[in-house]
Amino acid sequence: MFKRILTLLLAAALLGVSASAAGGAGDPLVSRDYAESWAENLVDEAAGAAETELGKVYESALQAGVSGTRSVTLSNGEALRLREGASAVLTSGSAAVALNAGALVNATVGGEAGNGRFNLGQLYIACEGCDAVVTSSGTSSFSVSGAYEVIEYVPEFTDVPAGEWYSGYVYAAVRLGLIDGMNATTFSPEGSFTVAQAVKIAACMHQLYYEGEVTLENGADPEWYSTFLDYALENGVAGAEYAEMSASELNSAISRRDYVALFYNALPAAEYAAINSVADGAIPDVAAGDEGAAAIYAFYRAGILNGSNAEGYFLPESGIKRSEVAAIAVRMFDSGERVSVSLG
């Protein structure tokens, strides 16, 4: 009814007659049906013109969205992670998309994209809060812009069952470049961790945080760890005492107390904001004044550690498993993976 009144008023105004006269006995030349039909046609024409202009703006926005694009080629199993504001076009090959959060829009067809095929030659734009992973099948090429990262292929470890608590942490840590498998098919989640290996992980975490990627590589055998040790010493990740360690000491198992000290130094203290209530002295086997206690308590409070059992024991002098190292490394970088604990 409101639309009908507006159209009649518009028709009356344009014809120079009053609304009450339009189509009435005093104005036999303009019928009500004619006035409505004429006014609605006028509105339709205006809407069409507006849509055309808006279409031009939309196309300009799309062009702006894909400006500064880069060509990215992925091998089988490698993936693109698209964040808010990113855009991507599959230019060759095939790929599939998995949405973890937010919305991904297929701007070419004008609709929201879901899990499944990533269509060749179509423009996808990541909306607010988006986290989408596009995995290549075979060799594929993309034109990409905005906030994205390349996720390298991670092999399937035969000794990392999907149902284990640590499986997600293992693969996430490998993708981040923080830890490697023992070989292409084996991770050894129950294996022990040496001082040299801990220095390597801590150095890699520091470089990833401050430089955005890990470029450190193994040195020549037998001192494969030399590049990581030099980096850790130069950047304050490892204390001066590590420079005096012998090869046998560096290749021996590291205690939980010492690995926390190394890992704590890998990131700035501001990254360890407390989310848990853990009073001084609440960890049963770590007194507040013990060596390394400040870093240990910081990790409990930040949700990076939650203890080795239900009572929250830390076991400071015992060794640490490779699966546990993977979990801690991921929790340090992804606040969403941190855990709740309440002691004392």
Side-chain angles (χ1 to χ4, degrees):
M1 177 62 70
F2 183 64
K3 180 181 176 183
R4 180 182 294 272
I5 293 172
L6 283 178
T7 55
L8 286 171
L9 288 174
L10 178 61
L14 291 171
L15 291 172
V17 296
S18 67
S20 59
D27 186 14
L29 297 179
V30 182
S31 70
R32 182 183 300 274
D33 288 342
Y34 177 82
E36 284 191 353
S37 174
W38 179 76
E40 287 178 356
N41 287 337
L42 190 65
V43 170
D44 288 342
E45 289 177 6
E51 185 175 352
T52 299
E53 291 304 312
L54 288 173
K56 294 177 182 179
V57 174
Y58 177 70
E59 291 298 327
S60 297
L62 291 185
Q63 292 300 321
V66 298
S67 63
T69 58
R70 294 180 60 186
S71 178
V72 177
T73 300
L74 302 181
S75 300
N76 184 47
E78 292 185 325
L80 285 173
R81 168 160 270 139
L82 304 177
R83 302 288 193 181
E84 179 179 329
S87 65
V89 176
L90 177 64
T91 56
S92 68
S94 60
V97 61
L99 273 170
N100 298 321
L104 182 70
V105 170
N106 184 328
T108 302
V109 301
E112 188 171 339
N115 295 331
R117 183 179 176 183
F118 198 82
N119 295 321
L120 185 69
Q122 296 184 355
L123 173 64
Y124 292 80
I125 300 176
C127 300
E128 183 177 358
C130 183
D131 178 10
V133 177
V134 183
T135 303
S136 174
S137 302
T139 300
S140 301
S141 295
F142 299 82
S143 181
V144 194
S145 69
Y148 73 93
E149 62 179 300
V150 175
I151 303 173
E152 295 183 358
Y153 169 70
V154 176
E156 291 188 13
F157 297 119
T158 58
D159 57 353
V160 180
E164 292 292 341
W165 69 269
Y166 54 76
S167 60
Y169 291 124
V170 167
Y171 289 114
V174 172
R175 287 191 182 97
L176 286 170
L178 298 176
I179 194 169
D180 299 317
M182 301 301 290
N183 53 49
T185 59
T186 304
F187 182 78
S188 186
E190 300 298 313
S192 62
F193 221 66
T194 68
V195 174
Q197 290 169 334
V199 168
K200 173 183 176 177
I201 302 301
C204 289
M205 286 195 292
H206 185 280
Q207 187 182 46
L208 179 61
Y209 182 86
Y210 286 100
E211 300 180 22
E213 61 180 338
V214 177
T215 59
L216 293 169
E217 297 181 352
N218 288 359
D221 288 335
E223 295 185 351
W224 61 268
Y225 49 78
S226 61
T227 52
F228 305 103
L229 180 58
D230 290 344
Y231 179 95
L233 290 167
E234 291 171 4
N235 290 279
V237 177
E241 67 274 14
Y242 283 85
E244 306 300 323
M245 287 186 177
S246 65
S248 61
E249 289 175 316
L250 286 164
N251 287 305
S252 63
I254 191 170
S255 70
R256 290 172 176 264
R257 186 193 309 275
D258 289 342
Y259 95 76
V260 167
L262 278 171
F263 281 24
Y264 180 87
N265 291 335
L267 305 184
E271 293 296 332
Y272 308 133
I275 63 170
N276 295 318
S277 175
V278 181
D280 286 346
I283 302 174
D285 53 353
V286 180
D290 286 354
E291 179 185 356
I296 295 167
Y297 274 86
F299 272 22
Y300 270 73
R301 290 165 180 156
I304 296 169
L305 292 174
N306 61 344
S308 299
N309 53 32
E311 289 75 34
Y313 278 79
F314 176 63
L315 309 179
E317 304 308 325
S318 67
I320 185 170
K321 299 175 182 178
R322 287 170 53 80
S323 56
E324 295 170 325
V325 170
I328 291 165
V330 172
R331 288 172 187 168
M332 289 176 69
F333 273 90
D334 187 350
S335 60
E337 292 292 342
R338 297 190 180 183
V339 294
S340 298
V341 61
S342 182
L343 298 173

